[in-house]
Every structure is written in structure tokens, then in C-alpha cells.
Amino acid sequence: MIKIQKVYNILYSKFGDLEWWPIDKKYHIKNSTDPRFEIIIGAILTQNTAWSNVEKALINLKENGKLDIKSIIEIPDLELKKLIKPSGFFNQKSKRLKKISKFLFEKYKSDMDLFFKKDTKKIREDLLEINGIGPETADSILLYAGNKPVFVVDSYTKRICKRLPIKTEITYDSIQKHFENNFSNVFDKKDLTKIYNQMHAMIVELAKNYCKKNPDCKNCPLKKYCKYEK
DNA sequence: GTCCAGGGCCGTT
DNA sequence: AACGGCCATGGA
């Protein structure tokens, strides 16, 4: 078994600072839309979908002035589906966007500060009760929109955990706990949000460039620690 | 044309 | 707990 800290250090020396959630900053300066809501919408739209497709959907929403809670609630289903069509799975995703928007409107009066002020565990539970929001989407919302110290586990993380000998039990919760326990022993508490963001970004880089479904093992920075062979 | 992407749900084993 | 089918688009 290889230590998480060791993986972090090797990846960091390879990739450097990544700090990552793709967001269009210029748009928010101009329109004063809460970027946290864009991240929430993006987190749902990107479910099993390439970000380039999500971007098209987000641009459609922006250009039509629909990227806010009230507009998502009021827009007719058909029109919403048309706008988010490039991101795929638009029948289910349109429902999910409506649900999260209604949730924020009805329970928090569309006040994001009020929403994220609550206890992290409580927010997570509330999000998971919404049909269409699973653990990764909930945790992405907490980490990237709420700046909460929550480690996001995605399919890349699972793949790397399987191949690298990081862990034998490959379930969402156990992997998340493993990363969080290790990092919170090593880093200062106030830095954890940044570290989780950085680590997840590095995992994505590793998985896209080396630890692919069809892996490029010979150039992988973690080659000598890995049991997996193509 | 084929493969796959930063999931989640539901049903089956 | 783990697995399979399903949902849909666009880029490589």
C-alpha cells in the first residue's frame, strides 16, 4: 500500500498548482450572478459528461439570461431541455436542475449564504435527499461552491485506487474517509479545502493523461509504485 | 463508425 | 455489496 501523502507529493511535483473548477469569471462581473449557483448547475450537468459539452449548455443558459434560480424554476421544461441539450441526458438533467432550484428557493429563499452557512454534514444529507444528486455531485457542490473541506471521489479516483494499491475497499465512503483521514493528519485544517481541490485536480490530470482506461503506464509518474500492468 | 466522458437510479444477483 | 442497463451529446 502506498501512502496518500506520497501520491500527493509525486503528483504535485509533476503537475504543480492546478486549483480547479472551470468557471467564466468575466460573466459574473458583468451579470452579478452568484458563481456558486453556476457551479451547482455545472455539477449536475457534468454527470458522466465531458466538460466541453457542459460548457455549451451553460453558455446557452447565460445567453438567454436563465442561469439563476428564479429563471430555472419558471422556464418551461421543453425550453430548458433545448438549452441544456448539448450536455446530454437532458430529460433527467432538466428535472434535476428544477429540483435543486426549487429546493434552494423554498428552503433557503435563494440565499446561498444562508444555505452554505449550515453544518456541512447537514447540507450533504439534504442534498442527497434530492433525487438525481448522488455523493459525488453533493460533494462537488460542497467543495467547489461552498469551499467546504470535503474530498470528492469520482470514477477516476476509484480507478486509481484500484490500480495503485491505495486501498482494497473500493466504495465511495471508504475511499473518501481514507483520503480525508490521511490529509487531515498531515495538513493544517484551514488548508484542507485547497488541498482537496488540488488533489482532485491532480487525479483528473493523471487519469486523463496516464491512468486512462487504456493506460499509458510507461510514462506514468507513479509507475514504480503501481502493481497494475496493461 | 467506435469509444468515452469529472454519475445516478433502478432492478437483479 | 457489486453489477448491468439505461439515459444522450459531441469530440477524439
Side-chain angles (χ1 to χ4, degrees):
Chain A
M1 296 289 155
I2 180 169
K3 289 256 194 301
I4 302 294
Q5 175 61 22
K6 179 131 190 144
V7 175
Y8 182 93
N9 290 337
I10 293 168
L11 292 179
Y12 189 79
S13 61
K14 174 81 184 176
F15 297 120
D17 286 318
L18 294 174
E19 274 293 329
W20 164 95
W21 178 276
I23 191 155
D24 181 357
K25 292 202 175 72
K26 278 176 288 186
Y27 169 79
H28 294 289
I29 293 163
K30 263 169 49 184
N31 291 273
S32 75
T33 298
D34 193 324
R36 290 174 291 185
F37 186 64
E38 176 175 341
I39 293 172
I40 290 172
I41 296 304
I44 290 172
L45 293 180
T46 199
Q47 290 171 346
N48 200 39
T49 301
W51 184 258
S52 57
N53 286 2
V54 176
E55 245 173 357
K56 298 180 202 306
L58 287 174
I59 287 169
N60 286 343
L61 291 169
K62 287 176 191 176
E63 287 183 344
N64 287 275
K66 303 297 184 190
L67 195 53
D68 60 86
I69 294 174
K70 190 167 181 283
S71 300
I72 297 287
I73 291 172
E74 290 174 352
I75 189 173
D77 288 347
L78 264 176
E79 196 184 333
L80 180 57
K81 286 178 189 177
K82 203 170 78 188
L83 293 176
I84 67 169
K85 189 172 179 224
S87 71
F89 305 120
F90 49 81
N91 287 309
Q92 24 177 318
K93 283 177 179 174
S94 62
K95 290 185 190 126
R96 293 174 186 182
L97 297 190
K98 291 246 173 203
K99 273 182 196 150
I100 186 76
S101 300
K102 281 178 186 161
F103 168 80
L104 291 168
F105 175 74
E106 285 165 6
K107 297 201 170 169
Y108 298 95
K109 301 168 186 168
S110 304
D111 184 341
M112 301 296 251
D113 289 322
L114 188 61
F115 176 56
F116 283 115
K117 205 163 62 185
K118 280 179 65 179
D119 176 64
T120 302
K121 280 203 156 174
K122 181 65 181 156
I123 300 174
R124 194 177 192 273
E125 287 169 12
D126 287 351
L127 286 172
L128 289 177
E129 276 181 25
I130 302 171
N131 187 281
I133 301 202
E136 191 195 331
T137 306
D139 290 340
S140 294
I141 290 171
L142 285 165
L143 178 64
Y144 296 110
N147 284 309
K148 308 290 185 185
V150 175
F151 186 75
V152 176
V153 177
D154 57 13
S155 57
Y156 290 156
T157 313
K158 287 182 183 166
R159 183 159 82 208
I160 289 164
C161 283
K162 270 184 207 163
R163 290 178 179 174
L164 250 188
I166 287 179
K167 236 188 150 306
T168 49
E169 194 191 346
I170 309 294
T171 63
Y172 192 98
D173 291 343
S174 84
I175 291 175
Q176 184 179 49
K177 277 204 181 69
H178 187 66
F179 277 77
E180 289 185 352
N181 287 340
N182 278 276
F183 280 129
S184 52
N185 282 335
V186 176
F187 291 100
D188 203 273
K189 193 172 178 181
K190 66 173 169 47
D191 296 325
L192 286 178
T193 296
K194 194 174 159 69
I195 296 295
Y196 292 162
N197 188 326
Q198 172 72 22
M199 185 64 183
H200 188 247
M202 295 194 299
I203 285 173
V204 171
E205 281 306 300
L206 182 73
K208 278 184 174 171
N209 297 309
Y210 303 100
C211 203
K212 300 181 278 196
K213 186 165 276 189
N214 229 317
D216 178 14
C217 295
K218 61 181 188 298
N219 296 312
C220 179
L222 291 164
K223 178 169 74 176
K224 67 174 173 178
Y225 304 98
C226 192
K227 66 182 175 187
Y228 184 82
E229 286 175 38
K230 189 175 174 180

